[in-house]
Amino acid sequence: MKRTPFALASVWLGLALVSGTHAHAQPSASVGAIEGRVFNSRSGEYLETARVTIEGTDLEALTGPGGAYRLVVPAGSVRVKAFFTGFEPLVEAVRVTAGATVPRDFTFGAAGGREVVKLSEFVVGASREMDGAAIAINEQRFAPNITHVVSAGEFGISADGSVGEFLKFMPGISVDYVGGTANTISMDGVPSNNVPITVGGFDLASTSSASTSRSTELLQISIHNAARLEVTHSPTPESPGSALAGGVNIVPRSAFERAKPLLVGSVYLMMRDNYRGLEKTSGPRRGGSYKTQPGFEFSYVAPVSARLGFTLSGSYSNHFIPEDRITNTWRAAGAATTGLAAASAATQYPDTTPDRPYLTDIVLIENLKFNQRSSLGTTVDFKVSSRDTLSFSYQYGAFSSENNGSTLTIAVNHVQPGNFTPTSTRGTPGRGQLTLASGSRWREGQTHMPSLVFRHRGPVWQSEAGIGYSHSTNFLRDVSAGYLGSMSLRRTNVTVAFDDIFYLRPRALTITDGTTGAQVDPGSLSAYSLVSVGSPNPRDSIDVKRSAYANARREFTAFGVPLAVKAGLDVRQSRRDMRGSTATYTYAGPAQSGTRFRDGEISPRPLPYGFGPLEWLEPEGGLEFHRANPTLFTSNLNDEYRNAVSLSKRVQETISSCYLRGDAALLDRRLRLVGGVRLEQTNIRAEGPLTDVTLNYQRTASGVVIRGANGVPLRIRTDALGIS
């Protein structure tokens, strides 16, 4: 019989756990037990990871979900001590009878405690954030590795519910923004591909329009459905192999965290500093929009009985984001020079030294966008018995974004030697170029994530098993949403000069006609002519992740040292399927002035950074012109076909693993050692574009390539589209 690494590991785990059981055995006639729950009367929550110890011994227990604990202790009188961050320890004397279980609950913050100093009356405005911080600090204190925990309520209200906006405050976390929105994260220099993000320990599905990587985007998950965020910086045997620097776990709410029902909610208005009005204004689409938008969030925790409870949370926000950016291209400082090119060359950038760079291009981007996010989360917790709990969780998130932007590019293109300094650039007459492009897009996606977890916390064994499913979609649209994805206008034969340049831009910008010398206004559409339109540019992406795990933990004492052994199995599968296409229609009709596509509602719009007003392109008008004059545009069918093929990808990854972990507490539990081993196997099946030129060769019936008189293989098709 072939012995796989998993089979050998299973045998080893079994032997380790059996030996642990033997080491723990004690005569039942001389011991009893103490069990109960730890409660915070100030917040009304049962406390997880509170430490309960027996003074004068090394006996210790950390409370689990719902604040429950159990200690097996020698018969007789003992002093039980409960500790939780932010409170004075509680100590009680308990009489334990051999073979019996004594109930003992602890309540922090209860009235009647000892007063050391009595102050005059004062009012605490809010304690929710401080309670959340105490829970987070306590989890970090007793974590087996380097972990940072932040409560979802620690920073107060989050208007748009972005998880990334919370994570950016965590040590070692860098947030990657796309279009002003927190999109992915990296940890300690490790890219997002190797930073797994889970919800309740289950992989979070994440779609991307162009990538089959492991990177997880945060757009479709909301902080409002979470109780806290856990960031792990050091691996343990439970950690997946892809977590090179650690990972992030979003912990859903639990009904057994509270003793009484609690409803918390807020309603608010979201506005920008420079868009505080309540009236409708122009952009980003035809007809304008209200830039001040309402939002709400709520959470309801309902412990129905001692055995059943549920939670319900939700949120909605519609966030207006005006996005301004400027990009300067400096030759010899981030951009290459070309030397003295041929006289007919389109571009010429003379060589210079890094200490004397010169400015040749300015790209100014002005974008108006709405980000709409909604979420719904629910959990149901049921105690099958006093030791066993069954928890169901369902998380839903939706994200949509509508944006319309203009990009103005001012390019010198050609510079003669001696016509530049670090503070000025004078382009060759008639060789400069102005390009004005619009970019519009509608994006929407949803994520559904149900999961089921079974937990057993017995006096000897603690075990857990769970299954989870996450399904995420992402769709990008333009034409079907009523506008062109892009439109490009151009003005050539201009002379560009930059003067009085500082770090941001030239204070003086001169653009003239290369023939007449007349001034040219880069912000007026009358200076441009239509070049091309891009349509359509759809993207479809679906990501599905399935997770299943099971583990068991056994605590015992050997040679006076508290030990614990934990073993587990883990299987995770990810499948991503992407489709898309791209087409560019080049305008081949008579000269068409850009004024035809002027957006009358938003034009002229003042540009940022002191560049003056800009007339905007109307994407709806561009689509209407294209539909009315299809014969005036040409396209490359071969490019369209190949683009569609290159954007069609599918990948499935299955990771199977098992692990063994050991814990030891030394020096009266002041020194904790954690170690173990993990075996992991990854299987990948992928499909994508296949390029094989030999498939177009003529062949005989037996498969031999037919060659011409010159020895070159004869082709089946000779046209580019047919070959593709």
Side-chain angles (χ1 to χ4, degrees):
M1 179 181 68
K2 181 179 179 181
R3 296 185 180 273
T4 65
F6 287 106
L8 296 175
S10 300
V11 173
W12 183 21
L13 302 185
L15 292 175
L17 294 176
V18 170
S19 64
T21 305
H22 177 72
H24 184 81
Q26 297 185 44
S28 60
S30 62
V31 299
I34 304 174
E35 66 178 19
R37 304 176 77 181
V38 180
F39 181 67
N40 179 359
S41 63
R42 187 175 65 188
S43 66
E45 296 179 339
Y46 288 103
L47 299 176
E48 185 176 356
T49 325
R51 182 171 65 176
V52 183
T53 59
I54 303 299
E55 289 190 338
T57 73
D58 59 2
L59 297 176
E60 176 187 87
L62 296 178
T63 58
Y69 77 93
R70 178 182 174 88
L71 280 169
V72 178
V73 301
S77 296
V78 296
R79 288 174 59 83
V80 186
K81 180 179 179 181
F83 170 82
F84 192 83
T85 300
F87 295 95
E88 288 291 327
L90 300 177
V91 181
E92 291 192 21
V94 178
R95 180 73 181 179
V96 180
T97 304
T101 298
V102 180
R104 184 66 59 179
D105 295 336
F106 289 90
T107 300
F108 286 102
R114 185 179 60 180
E115 291 183 319
V116 178
V117 178
K118 186 173 183 179
L119 303 176
S120 59
E121 181 180 358
F122 66 97
V123 177
V124 177
S127 63
R128 181 185 177 194
E129 289 78 11
M130 294 304 298
D131 290 335
I135 293 174
I137 294 171
N138 196 76
E139 290 225 359
Q140 293 174 194
R141 183 192 299 271
F142 299 115
N145 52 1
I146 301 175
T147 301
H148 289 94
V149 183
V150 59
S151 169
E154 187 168 341
F155 297 123
I157 295 176
S158 172
D160 67 348
S162 172
V163 174
E165 295 299 329
F166 271 70
L167 289 173
K168 71 180 182 181
F169 296 108
M170 304 292 283
I173 295 287
S174 297
V175 177
D176 304 316
Y177 284 84
V178 174
T181 305
N183 191 46
T184 59
I185 62 170
S186 57
M187 291 182 61
D188 299 326
V190 175
S192 59
N193 292 344
N194 296 104
V195 182
I197 297 178
T198 57
V199 177
F202 299 101
D203 287 346
L204 172 65
S206 169
T207 55
S208 174
S209 59
S211 173
T212 56
S213 71
R214 290 174 174 170
S215 180
T216 302
E217 296 184 354
L218 302 172
L219 298 178
Q220 296 179 23
I221 189 71
S222 174
I223 191 66
H224 293 134
N225 296 340
R228 57 188 177 275
L229 293 141
E230 301 172 342
V231 180
T232 302
H233 293 274
S234 59
T236 63
E238 296 100 323
S239 305
S242 61
L244 298 185
V248 176
N249 182 42
I250 303 171
V251 182
R253 304 178 190 274
S254 171
F256 292 146
E257 290 180 352
R258 299 197 57 83
K260 297 180 180 179
L262 175 67
L263 174 63
V264 178
S266 60
V267 179
Y268 45 82
L269 288 176
M270 299 178 63
M271 64 187 72
R272 310 292 297 191
D273 286 343
N274 51 342
Y275 289 89
R276 297 183 180 180
L278 298 178
E279 70 279 359
K280 180 183 289 188
T281 58
S282 58
R285 292 291 302 277
R286 179 184 287 175
S289 59
Y290 294 99
K291 307 304 186 293
T292 299
Q293 292 284 335
F296 70 86
E297 59 94 7
F298 74 92
S299 65
Y300 180 54
V301 182
V304 179
S305 65
R307 298 185 61 182
L308 177 65
F310 70 91
T311 71
L312 183 66
S313 59
S315 65
Y316 170 83
S317 66
N318 195 12
H319 190 195
F320 174 66
I321 305 176
E323 182 186 4
D324 305 328
R325 299 198 308 271
I326 185 172
T327 302
N328 296 321
T329 301
W330 290 84
R331 299 294 160 176
T337 57
T338 62
L340 296 179
S344 60
T347 59
Q348 174 181 291
Y349 305 117
D351 294 334
T352 185
T353 55
D355 62 322
R356 291 183 58 81
Y358 58 97
L359 181 66
T360 59
D361 300 85
I362 297 176
V363 179
L364 189 64
I365 299 175
E366 174 83 355
N367 193 46
L368 301 179
K369 176 169 61 175
F370 274 100
N371 281 351
Q372 181 175 291
R373 181 183 278 111
S374 57
S375 68
L376 178 68
T378 183
T379 61
V380 179
D381 299 300
F382 175 68
K383 285 191 175 182
V384 181
S385 68
S386 60
R387 312 290 184 203
D388 304 310
T389 304
L390 197 62
S391 299
F392 170 78
S393 172
Y394 173 75
Q395 306 294 322
Y396 167 81
F399 177 85
S400 62
S401 177
E402 180 181 37
N403 67 77
N404 178 24
S406 286
T407 301
L408 173 62
T409 303
I410 305 173
V412 172
N413 280 343
H414 204 283
V415 183
Q416 296 292 344
N419 282 354
F420 61 86
T421 70
T423 58
S424 67
T425 304
R426 297 190 176 279
T428 303
R431 305 299 288 272
Q433 179 176 291
L434 304 176
T435 303
L436 183 61
S438 70
S440 303
R441 187 183 67 180
W442 170 262
R443 171 177 181 167
E444 64 177 342
Q446 298 179 346
T447 297
H448 301 268
M449 189 170 184
S451 62
L452 184 65
V453 177
F454 172 79
R455 296 183 179 91
H456 170 75
R457 293 185 63 86
V460 178
W461 290 91
Q462 293 86 44
S463 60
E464 186 173 318
I467 55 174
Y469 176 83
S470 186
H471 183 280
S472 181
T473 59
N474 180 61
F475 303 108
L476 303 182
R477 294 293 184 267
D478 40 37
V479 171
S480 60
Y483 43 66
L484 289 172
S486 63
M487 185 163 42
S488 179
L489 288 81
R490 186 180 301 157
R491 171 65 182 266
T492 58
N493 188 31
V494 294
T495 304
V496 179
F498 302 141
D499 290 294
D500 195 12
I501 303 171
F502 70 117
Y503 78 97
L504 184 61
R505 65 173 184 86
R507 291 187 175 91
L509 173 64
T510 305
I511 303 175
T512 59
D513 185 273
T515 303
T516 65
Q519 290 286 332
V520 176
D521 181 5
S524 173
L525 289 176
S526 62
Y528 299 85
S529 297
L530 180 64
V531 176
S532 65
V533 298
S535 170
N537 188 30
R539 299 284 192 278
D540 293 348
S541 181
I542 299 175
D543 191 42
V544 177
K545 292 190 176 181
R546 299 178 176 91
S547 309
Y549 70 87
N551 59 65
R553 177 184 171 91
R554 176 74 159 85
E555 297 181 356
F556 57 96
T557 301
F559 307 106
V561 178
L563 302 173
V565 174
K566 182 179 180 180
L569 302 173
D570 194 298
V571 179
R572 298 175 186 263
Q573 184 184 84
S574 174
R575 177 175 59 84
R576 182 170 295 178
D577 198 342
M578 300 185 301
R579 298 289 187 271
S581 64
T582 299
T584 299
Y585 298 154
T586 302
Y587 182 67
Q592 191 70 45
S593 173
T595 55
R596 181 185 183 96
F597 310 103
R598 183 178 185 271
D599 189 331
E601 296 180 359
I602 202 171
S603 298
R605 178 179 174 82
L607 286 174
Y609 313 111
F611 276 95
L614 172 70
E615 294 183 333
W616 274 47
L617 295 168
E618 186 186 51
E620 294 91 345
L623 179 60
E624 292 167 357
F625 179 77
H626 175 259
R627 287 176 170 172
N629 304 276
T631 59
L632 300 181
F633 295 86
T634 62
S635 62
N636 189 316
L637 296 180
N638 180 55
D639 287 345
E640 292 183 31
Y641 177 81
R642 296 186 71 86
N643 288 337
V645 172
S646 65
L647 291 171
S648 177
K649 302 175 183 178
R650 182 181 186 275
V651 62
Q652 177 174 296
E653 179 185 59
T654 303
I655 301 177
S656 307
S657 59
C658 65
Y659 61 87
L660 174 67
R661 169 183 154 183
D663 296 62
L666 307 175
L667 303 178
D668 195 21
R669 297 187 183 271
R670 296 187 183 90
L671 175 64
R672 296 177 182 268
L673 303 178
V674 178
V677 62
R678 181 182 182 90
L679 303 177
E680 191 170 288
Q681 177 175 303
T682 302
N683 297 321
I684 297 177
R685 295 179 59 187
E687 301 172 5
L690 173 64
T691 300
D692 185 356
V693 296
T694 65
L695 295 178
N696 194 44
Y697 292 165
Q698 297 184 27
R699 298 176 183 271
T700 64
S702 59
V704 178
V705 175
I706 301 175
R707 300 178 180 272
N710 57 359
V712 177
L714 298 179
R715 298 183 177 184
I716 300 173
R717 299 290 296 269
T718 57
D719 60 300
L721 179 59
I723 293 173
S724 296

